[in-house]
């Protein structure tokens, strides 16, 4: 994965917490203008904003990691990385080949998500089939 892809993935992972912190801060600012319970509301909102900001800070220091072939993300409440179950594969997949010595057949093996070039045998030669734009 590229650094840009890591950055996008990490930003997506903490977006909810940053949005929560922003909303809580906005609520705190709105409460200042209210009469009566404005001070209590402001304190409660500020506390929520502080808690959300601390949680977002924790996530920002704990980027997603790959472990045992899957993505693991930080859980601030449990203070551990948790398995997302999502396979940690990039777009780069490749084909492998198997030649059955008995039959002489050549088999191409790929991942189900493989979108790379196809291959064919022509007159005993293995050719790469590239389909640009189609």
């Amino acid at each position: 994965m590229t650094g840009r892809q890591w950055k996008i993935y990490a930003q997506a992972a903490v977006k909810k917490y940053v949005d929560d912190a922003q909303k809580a801060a906005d609520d705190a600012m709105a409460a200042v203008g209210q009469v009566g319970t404005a001070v209590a509301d402001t304190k409660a909102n500020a506390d929520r904003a502080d808690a959300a900001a601390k949680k977002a800070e924790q996530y920002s220091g704990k980027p997603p990691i790959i472990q045992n072939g899957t993505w693991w993300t930080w859980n601030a409440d449990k203070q551990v990385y948790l398995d997302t179950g999502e396979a940690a594969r990039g777009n780069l997949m490749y084909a492998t080949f198997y030649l059955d010595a008995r039959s002489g057949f050549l088999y191409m093996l790929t991942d189900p998500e493989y979108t790379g070039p196809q291959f064919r045998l022509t007159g005993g030669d293995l050719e790469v089939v590239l389909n640009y734009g189609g």
Side-chain angles (χ1 to χ4, degrees):
M1 290 192 66
T2 66
R4 183 175 183 274
Q5 288 170 318
W6 276 107
K7 180 180 177 183
I8 291 169
Y9 192 85
Q11 286 173 336
V14 300
K15 183 176 180 347
K16 177 190 180 306
Y17 302 100
V18 172
D19 290 347
D20 287 349
Q22 182 63 51
K23 183 179 180 333
D26 291 345
D27 290 347
M29 289 302 293
V32 170
Q34 294 178 352
V35 180
T37 60
V39 172
D41 289 346
T42 302
K43 172 130 178 52
N45 286 330
D47 291 344
R48 274 186 31 232
D50 185 51
K54 285 178 182 174
K55 190 176 262 191
E57 183 178 323
Q58 253 209 37
Y59 280 100
S60 69
K62 302 283 189 188
I65 61 172
I66 299 171
Q67 190 171 338
N68 300 323
T70 58
W71 283 107
W72 291 61
T73 56
W74 181 252
N75 182 305
D77 296 328
K78 296 181 180 180
Q79 295 290 299
V80 296
Y81 276 95
L82 296 178
D83 187 356
T84 66
E86 186 176 331
R89 283 186 272 199
N91 293 339
L92 181 62
M93 290 185 259
Y94 55 90
T96 58
F97 297 90
Y98 165 70
L99 177 63
D100 185 332
R102 288 185 188 188
S103 68
F105 287 116
L106 178 66
Y107 297 95
M108 182 174 100
L109 307 171
T110 61
D111 189 278
E113 297 174 19
Y114 178 76
T115 59
Q118 297 297 308
F119 300 85
R120 66 177 169 229
L121 282 174
T122 304
D125 294 323
L126 181 64
E127 296 178 343
V128 178
V129 179
L130 300 174
N131 292 320
Y132 288 103

